[in-house]
Amino acid sequence: MMAEYKVRKVEPGQTKIRDVPIAVTPEGFWCCPSQVVFQKTIKNQSQQTKQRPENPPATSKSSSKKLSSPSSPETRVQPSPSRSRVSSEDQKCLNSSTSASSPPVTSEGTLKPNGESHQRKISVGFGQPETSDLKVNLSGKEGIIVKMSVHSNILSEKSNFFSDKLSGQSPVSCIEIDDCEDVEIYVEAVGLMYCKEMKQRLMKQSVPRVLRILEAAKSLGFSACIKSCLEYLEAVPWVGEEEENVIASVTHIKSDTYGISSILKRVSSDISNPPNATFSRIMEMVLKSNDERGRREMKSLMLKLLKENSLLTNGSADICVETLYNSCQSCLTSLLASFRQAAEPGFLDDKSLGCKDPIMQQIVLEADNLLWLLEILADRRVADEFALMWATQAELAKLHPRLPIVSRHLVSCITARLFVGIGKGEMLPPKDTRQLLLHVWLQPLIEDYNWLQHGCRSFDRKVVEEGIGRTILTLPLDDQQSILLSWLGSFLKVGDSCPNLQRAFEVWWRRTFIRPFMEQQGARLRSDRN
C-alpha cells in the first residue's frame, strides 16, 4: 500500500524533511523508493545545474552548516518498524542518537565548492536493518548513486548473480555495480526478493513497467521474479505497441521452463489448418452474408487488412490469390444464373414482387461482391486473370440490356473498374484480352453511362473516361480507329450521356494523320543530307 508521512514544521536551523510517498509492504521493513523519488532527484539536479550562480554569494555561518561536504558521512533519519522516509541530506545533520539507526530510504546531494551538484545519493534499506550484513552500491545515469543495505542470505538464495558474487571464500561486505541502465527498476527487483507475494505487487504495475522489471530480473538471474512477470504478461491484455514489446522481451528468454509458449500462443498458432483455409472460410461468410450493413462494414475492414498484408508480402507468393479467384468464379456463376432467370420472357411483366425481388437482390449482391473482389485483386496487382474472365462473358453482356438499369448498373461498374485498372497500369492483360474486353463490354457501359453519372455516388467520370481512353490507345492503330469511330457515332447522338473520349481521339488523330507526315518529312531531310 502507499502511505505518505509528513513532518511537522521545524524551527530555523533544523533539518527539513521532504514529503515523499513511500511503498510499505506487509512483509516488514523493505521499501522501494517510488518513481517520484528518482524523478524528483533527477529534476532537482538538473534545475540546480541550470540555476548555478557564477559567483555564489557568501553564506552565513548557520546556512553553511546545512551543506554537507563530499567527505561527510551519510545522515539518516530514525524510521519506525513499518515505514520509511526520504530526507534531504544536503541539510543539517541530526543528533547522534537519531542518526545511529539505519533508515530504509534517504537521499543525499553532494555539492562542489561553487554550489554545483554533480551527484545525488539515495540510501535504501531492506528487511530488518539490524540484521543487514551487505551493502550494494548502484551507479546509474544522471549522477544517481543508490546504496542498499541488504541481507546476503536472501540475495544469494533468490539471485544467481548475487550468489556468484558471494560464493567466494572470503566474506563480501560490499558489491559495487557500475553503469546500471535502470537504477529505479533494479532497486525494485532487489526489493521483490523480500516479497512473498510478487503477483499482488505486479498487478498494480503497467505492462511497460513489468517488462522493465523482467529485464532486471533476467540480468540478476531472479527466477521467481521472471516467472511472476511472465504469468502477469500472459494474463493481462496488451494495448497498442505493448504486443510487439512483450514478444520481443519474451523471445529473448531461451528456456521454456517459465512457460513462454503460453504467451507466444496469443500471437501464433499450431493449428493444423493452413491460413488459406481460414481465409477461404472468412471470405465465404462475408460474401454470403444477408445483412447489408454487416457485409458492407466487413468488406471495408477486409479490404483494409488485405492491403496491409499486400504491403508486407511485397510481391512474394500470395496464398490468398487462389481463394480469391475461386470466390470470383462462384459469384460470377451465380450472377449469370440470376441474369438468365431475370431475362426470361414475361419475368419482368409479372406483377408479383415475391418472385422478382429475391432474384434482383441476388444480382445486386453478386455484382457488388465481384466489384469488391476486383478491388482486392487490383490492389494486389493480380487482376489480369479477372480481366480475361470478365472479357469472355459474352452471354452476360448479351442479357445485360434486358434487365432494368437499377439492377444491372453494378455490372457496368465492374467494367469501368477494369478500364481504370488497365489505364493506371494496375493490371496488364494481353492485347487479345483488351480487345475482347472493349468489344464485349464498352457498349453496355455506354448504355448505362448516364445513369451511373447521376445514380452512383462512387462513380468518378473523369477517372473512368481516362481509363477507357488509355485502354483503347494500347491497341493497334486499326483497332483504335474502329472503336473510336463507333464511339464518335454514339457521342454525337447522346452527348453527355456517353463517355467523353476526346483526349484519346486527339491522340489517335495525331498518330493517324500527323505522325506519318512528320515521318515523311524526316525521311526527306535525311535523304537530302545524304
Side-chain angles (χ1 to χ4, degrees), residues 145 159 170 176 182 227 256 367 377 469:
I145 297 177
S159 165
S170 58
E176 299 283 345
D182 200 342
K227 184 178 179 180
D256 195 35
L377 293 169

Side-chain angles (χ1 to χ4, degrees), residues 154-372:
I154 293 178
L155 267 62
S156 60
E157 177 187 352
K158 298 296 181 67
S159 165
N160 294 335
F161 172 80
F162 286 115
S163 178
D164 294 341
K165 292 286 186 181
L166 299 171
S167 61
Q169 294 181 355
S170 58
V172 179
S173 60
C174 182
I175 296 176
E176 299 283 345
I177 301 176
D178 298 327
D179 300 325
C180 186
E181 290 293 330
D182 200 342
V183 173
E184 175 191 348
I185 296 300
Y186 203 99
V187 172
E188 181 156 357
V190 173
L192 288 171
M193 297 179 188
Y194 289 78
C195 187
K196 294 179 181 178
E197 296 293 338
M198 280 186 283
K199 182 178 180 181
Q200 278 69 23
R201 183 168 180 84
L202 292 176
M203 286 175 65
K204 301 177 181 180
Q205 309 293 345
S206 64
V207 171
R209 189 170 180 85
V210 171
L211 289 176
R212 292 166 62 192
I213 295 173
L214 176 61
E215 292 301 316
K218 287 192 291 185
S219 66
L220 290 172
F222 187 4
S223 299
C225 184
I226 294 174
K227 184 178 179 180
S228 295
C229 289
L230 292 175
E231 289 176 352
Y232 167 93
L233 294 171
E234 192 278 331
V236 73
W238 306 332
V239 180
E241 297 179 355
E242 291 177 353
E243 177 174 321
E244 297 302 325
N245 295 334
V246 170
I247 299 304
S249 296
V250 168
T251 49
H252 290 163
I253 302 176
K254 297 180 180 179
S255 174
D256 195 35
T257 56
Y258 300 106
I260 302 171
S261 59
S262 60
I263 296 179
L264 297 178
K265 282 182 179 179
R266 190 184 291 193
V267 296
S268 61
S269 174
D270 55 1
I271 300 175
S272 58
N273 293 333
N276 55 338
T278 304
F279 176 71
S280 178
R281 183 182 176 189
I282 294 172
M283 294 296 293
E284 183 179 3
M285 293 172 66
V286 173
L287 293 172
K288 294 185 177 180
S289 171
N290 293 322
D291 183 76
E292 182 179 354
R293 179 177 178 181
R295 183 175 64 251
R296 183 175 65 253
E297 292 186 359
M298 283 309 301
K299 282 182 176 180
S300 176
L301 176 61
M302 289 290 294
L303 186 61
K304 171 189 172 184
L305 294 175
L306 287 169
K307 283 184 177 180
E308 293 176 1
N309 180 254
S310 179
L311 293 174
L312 293 175
T313 55
N314 195 23
S316 60
D318 194 340
I319 62 172
C320 302
V321 172
E322 184 178 354
T323 300
L324 290 169
Y325 272 109
N326 288 337
S327 299
C328 288
Q329 190 59 59
S330 176
C331 292
L332 190 54
T333 301
S334 176
L335 178 65
L336 181 57
S338 298
F339 257 73
R340 286 170 179 166
Q341 284 184 278
E344 289 180 357
F347 178 83
L348 297 177
D349 297 332
D350 190 352
K351 297 182 180 179
S352 174
L353 296 177
C355 177
K356 292 192 296 183
D357 277 0
I359 295 177
M360 294 302 181
Q361 290 174 4
Q362 189 67 22
I363 290 174
V364 173
L365 172 63
E366 299 299 356
D368 183 67
N369 286 341
L370 284 168
L371 188 59
W372 177 61

Side-chain angles (χ1 to χ4, degrees), residues 3 16 24 89 146 155 198 261 293 297 382 404 418 478 508:
K16 294 182 179 179
V24 183
E89 290 299 312
V146 178
L155 267 62
M198 280 186 283
S261 59
R293 179 177 178 181
E297 292 186 359
V382 289
L418 282 168
D478 291 343
W508 166 79

Side-chain angles (χ1 to χ4, degrees), residues 42 45-46 118-120 140-144:
I42 296 173
Q45 180 182 346
S46 62
H118 63 85
Q119 284 186 341
R120 197 69 179 175
K141 298 177 180 180
E142 304 290 345
I144 293 180

